[in-house]
Amino acid sequence: MNYQKEVVILLLGLYLIFLCRGASGDQISGKGIINLAHRQTKWTPLVQTSANLSEVTSIRSFFEFRTFDPEGAVFYGDTKDGEDWFVLSLRDGIPEMQIGKADILVSIKGGRKLNDGAWHLLELRNEGKFVVLEVNNQVELVVGLHSKLAEDELTGNIRLALGGMLVDKQKLFHPFEPEMDACIRGGHWLNLSTTWDTDSTWEPRPCFSEIKKGNYFPGTGVATFNSSDLPGLKTEEAGITVEIFGSWTGTTLSLQSTGFEYVLGELEGNKDVKEVQLGLKEGSERGIPPHEPAALTFTILKHSLVVNSKSELETESLDFFSMWKKGMLLTFGGVPGDSEVAKSKQYLRGCLDKILVQGQVIDLDRALYKHSAVSSHSCPTEAMNELT
Ligand SMILES: *[C@@H]1O[C@H](CO)[C@@H](O)[C@H](O)[C@H]1NC(C)=O
Ligand SMILES: *[C@@H]1O[C@H](CO)[C@@H](O)[C@H](O)[C@H]1NC(C)=O
Ligand SMILES: *[C@@H]1O[C@H](CO)[C@@H](O)[C@H](O)[C@H]1NC(C)=O
């Protein structure tokens, strides 16, 4: 059996990261630390396993779980190749279970919020026709279900999965966004000792020992939104504001539309640097001194772009409001794609504590595209020490 090696690395002597690596690269133990974030595919589970029900000695699973993410898929199980299925997810930080069995579809949500960044012990078990969820040894949810159509004999295979589902999302009673920035450790899954198969795109990712809320960009990629999916204009005078709080270096954001590109990059000294606009021969880059907590307000007006009250670009030939409404790309952390401009830019490194568009907090899990290394809800607390 391929048990994982748990490698503990003391990074910069400041914080520990745990890296979990399967001996063969595609199989890991369910007992180790598993980071559910960083998937490239939305619904495909990060890891899955299966067992013959005749080998199952205990219909009880428990694991420790830590997240700041309010919504996403946690734990999935099914029998009869998905005919009967179960999924545990979070919504508004609160556990939600959905079960499909014979002609029954159930959704039940309740208990305390779990997305506080602390480790919680979760236990799921069957007690006859009831499914019970315990959190920190206290019963939080109990759901009973009975169908005249359901057969009760347990035969065939049972499949388990983390961070996604093995049945079509159309089967859900209450749809949710599956992306989950969370870590799981110390799992006991139906008392099975089988290894878990990883998603083909799986790469071991660390679970930082200490985390805080935020959007973590390790300097390898971006998160891109379609502006038409973001809050829109309220008044022309106020324009559209994007506020960013955090500590970072590298490119802050960029805007792209047909024939237009604007990059808000790094500040060198205090002077504006290299022009980066395509299509228009105007524009400048600005940025933030690294390491220090900073706040940036980027305002889009009808014919100009304003950074911290200083006008950066004015052009009568473009109407940014209609571009925003129609759908331009707003990218955090760099320039999307692999164009020359994108490659010449330093990706953002650091933690954006909060991103607001029109005063609303933006969830990177809702992005059109997010690089798999970007964490949508957690930053290592000592991240800035890594930024050298
Ligand atoms: C779990 O498995 C171990 C060893 O396989 C066994 O000794 C133990 O009794 C099992 N526990 C339950 C609750 O079935
Ligand atoms: C499960 O195990 C039983 C008994 O060992 C066997 O008869 C059956 O074929 C197995 N089922 C599957 C799906 O492997
Ligand atoms: C952005 O959204 C608009 C409106 O929904 C759509 O027409 C456009 O194709 C989208 N752009 C991208 C790159 O998805």
Side-chain angles (χ1 to χ4, degrees):
M1 225 144 276
N2 287 331
Y3 274 111
Q4 77 177 66
K5 278 183 215 141
E6 221 170 76
V7 187
V8 182
I9 298 169
L10 193 59
L11 186 57
L12 300 171
L14 286 165
Y15 58 91
L16 295 169
I17 63 169
F18 297 84
L19 207 61
C20 132
R21 217 179 254 290
S24 65
D26 58 358
Q27 291 208 307
I28 60 166
S29 156
K31 293 197 166 90
I33 294 197
I34 300 170
N35 190 331
L36 298 186
H38 314 299
R39 276 172 293 149
Q40 284 173 15
T41 41
K42 239 175 134 120
W43 284 97
T44 312
L46 191 77
V47 293
Q48 57 177 290
T49 190
S50 71
N52 189 326
L53 276 166
S54 67
E55 295 159 20
V56 172
T57 57
S58 160
I59 34 183
R60 169 172 172 256
S61 296
F62 57 93
F63 54 96
E64 284 184 81
F65 177 76
R66 183 189 70 178
T67 194
F68 277 116
D69 195 339
E71 185 165 331
V74 182
F75 178 42
Y76 168 92
D78 72 22
T79 55
K80 298 188 232 157
D81 283 327
E83 243 177 83
D84 292 348
W85 55 270
F86 160 90
V87 66
L88 171 71
S89 61
L90 289 194
R91 191 190 303 273
D92 308 319
I94 294 170
E96 181 170 272
M97 296 199 274
Q98 297 192 54
I99 301 171
K101 188 178 170 72
D103 58 330
I104 305 177
L105 211 45
V106 176
S107 162
I108 178 172
K109 173 184 157 196
R112 73 190 76 179
K113 283 195 190 244
L114 299 183
N115 62 332
D116 58 1
W119 288 101
H120 296 285
L121 178 64
L122 269 59
E123 175 173 327
L124 277 156
R125 60 174 186 271
N126 273 82
E127 288 180 1
K129 288 185 172 171
F130 294 87
V131 180
V132 178
L133 172 72
E134 275 190 13
V135 177
N136 303 331
N137 299 311
Q138 298 214 320
V139 173
E140 297 270 299
L141 280 180
V142 179
V143 53
L145 69 165
H146 172 72
S147 165
K148 284 188 177 149
L149 299 178
E151 326 142 26
D152 278 330
E153 51 184 310
L154 287 176
T155 55
N157 275 328
I158 182 165
R159 300 188 296 184
L160 301 180
L162 299 178
M165 302 200 310
L166 296 168
V167 287
D168 196 289
K169 63 174 189 298
Q170 303 297 341
K171 289 200 178 190
L172 288 172
F173 181 63
H174 194 183
F176 59 88
E177 283 294 324
E179 282 99 335
M180 177 102 253
D181 177 4
C183 283
I184 281 179
R185 71 181 182 192
H188 286 76
W189 313 100
L190 306 172
N191 209 19
L192 297 170
S193 52
T194 48
T195 52
W196 293 68
D197 298 322
T198 58
D199 171 16
S200 58
T201 61
W202 187 81
E203 291 170 52
R205 294 283 187 186
C207 285
F208 295 98
S209 67
E210 299 291 332
I211 55 170
K212 62 171 186 170
K213 244 177 158 155
N215 304 278
Y216 182 54
F217 289 77
T220 45
V222 301
T224 298
F225 285 84
N226 185 335
S227 62
S228 71
D229 298 335
L230 293 168
L233 190 69
K234 286 178 208 147
T235 63
E236 297 224 340
E237 300 73 53
I240 292 152
T241 56
V242 179
E243 293 161 275
I244 300 176
F245 302 88
S247 309
W248 71 96
T249 63
T251 309
T252 309
L253 59 78
S254 62
L255 290 177
Q256 290 85 24
S257 182
T258 313
F260 170 77
E261 180 158 57
Y262 172 82
V263 182
L264 180 60
E266 195 117 35
L267 192 73
E268 283 184 17
N270 222 12
K271 66 181 192 327
D272 291 349
V273 289
K274 210 173 106 204
E275 291 202 348
V276 287
Q277 240 176 290
L278 305 176
L280 283 180
K281 294 268 182 296
E282 294 174 51
S284 63
E285 287 192 306
R286 283 180 66 88
I288 298 301
H291 301 244
E292 312 225 327
L296 177 138
T297 304
F298 180 69
T299 310
I300 299 169
L301 296 172
K302 193 174 174 93
H303 297 298
S304 63
L305 302 176
V306 178
V307 178
N308 288 344
S309 310
K310 183 173 176 291
S311 182
E312 286 294 314
L313 170 70
E314 292 189 28
T315 165
E316 286 302 316
S317 60
L318 293 172
D319 176 351
F320 292 121
F321 292 161
S322 73
M323 285 160 76
W324 182 271
K325 201 170 167 203
K326 268 195 251 154
M328 66 199 301
L329 297 181
L330 171 61
T331 298
F332 297 99
V335 175
D338 48 12
S339 65
E340 287 308 310
V341 177
K343 279 189 243 163
S344 71
K345 297 292 145 201
Q346 284 262 305
Y347 288 122
L348 190 152
R349 284 168 67 95
C351 182
L352 303 185
D353 301 338
K354 204 156 60 167
I355 303 171
L356 302 173
V357 174
Q358 294 291 66
Q360 292 183 32
V361 175
I362 296 308
D363 182 345
L364 295 190
D365 284 343
R366 310 274 169 152
L368 202 59
Y369 164 83
K370 178 171 77 62
H371 188 275
S372 67
V374 173
S375 296
S376 53
H377 291 85
S378 62
C379 295
T381 47
E382 300 295 341
M384 300 323 293
N385 292 296
E386 204 188 23
L387 304 176
T388 46

